[in-house]
Amino acid sequence: MAEKTVLIVGLEPTLIDFSDPAYGFVPGINADKVKAGLDASENALKELGYAAEQCLIDFGDTAEMVLQEKLAQQRYDCVLIGAGVRVVESNFLLFEKVINVVHRHAPQARLCFNTRPDDTAESVRRWV
């Protein structure tokens, strides 16, 4: 059986303003900790036998183009859209754009959503 491919879509941590309560709900959170969580999620998926990689996007200026280019590079079995894109109210339009780019450029991909970095593998395993 071919290795299942997973794309983890998240916000570029260095662009996040952690002083904003929408992002700073975890005490002491910062860009380095978010990136470490993303990397740990990717590594956990790889340890389970998935071909996983990240696609980090901005808040909308180039997000659609960056994601579209990533989806054009290979076929993905699953696209996980991280909580920073989904749950922060001010990112509602960004979330819609991400969903529509995935729908248009990777219609075969299952969509899944984590609630925190340490349940990413569980989220992916539900669908692929």
Side-chain angles (χ1 to χ4, degrees), residues 41-110:
S41 295
E42 180 182 344
N43 290 333
L45 287 168
K46 288 178 178 178
E47 289 174 12
L48 291 170
Y50 294 95
E53 61 183 299
Q54 298 174 39
C55 179
L56 302 179
I57 59 174
D58 63 17
F59 289 93
D61 293 335
T62 65
E64 291 172 280
M65 179 189 64
V66 167
L67 179 55
Q68 181 178 333
E69 288 175 359
K70 185 61 118 174
L71 293 171
Q73 292 174 4
Q74 76 174 58
R75 181 185 188 281
Y76 290 94
D77 297 298
C78 184
V79 176
L80 179 132
I81 302 170
V85 174
R86 289 189 341 273
V87 301
V88 176
E89 190 174 335
S90 60
N91 290 339
F92 180 74
L93 182 58
L94 174 62
F95 179 50
E96 283 186 339
K97 289 177 179 181
V98 167
I99 290 289
N100 282 308
V101 169
V102 174
H103 177 68
R104 190 168 42 253
H105 297 282
Q108 78 291 338
R110 298 290 187 142

Side-chain angles (χ1 to χ4, degrees), residues 3-45:
E3 193 174 44
K4 297 291 184 177
T5 55
V6 178
L7 184 63
I8 302 166
V9 180
L11 293 172
E12 168 55 56
T14 59
L15 300 177
I16 298 171
D17 176 5
F18 292 100
S19 68
D20 180 339
Y23 296 99
F25 53 87
V26 175
I29 194 73
N30 60 41
D32 291 335
K33 290 178 182 178
V34 170
K35 182 63 172 135
L38 288 164
D39 292 344
S41 295
E42 180 182 344
N43 290 333
L45 287 168

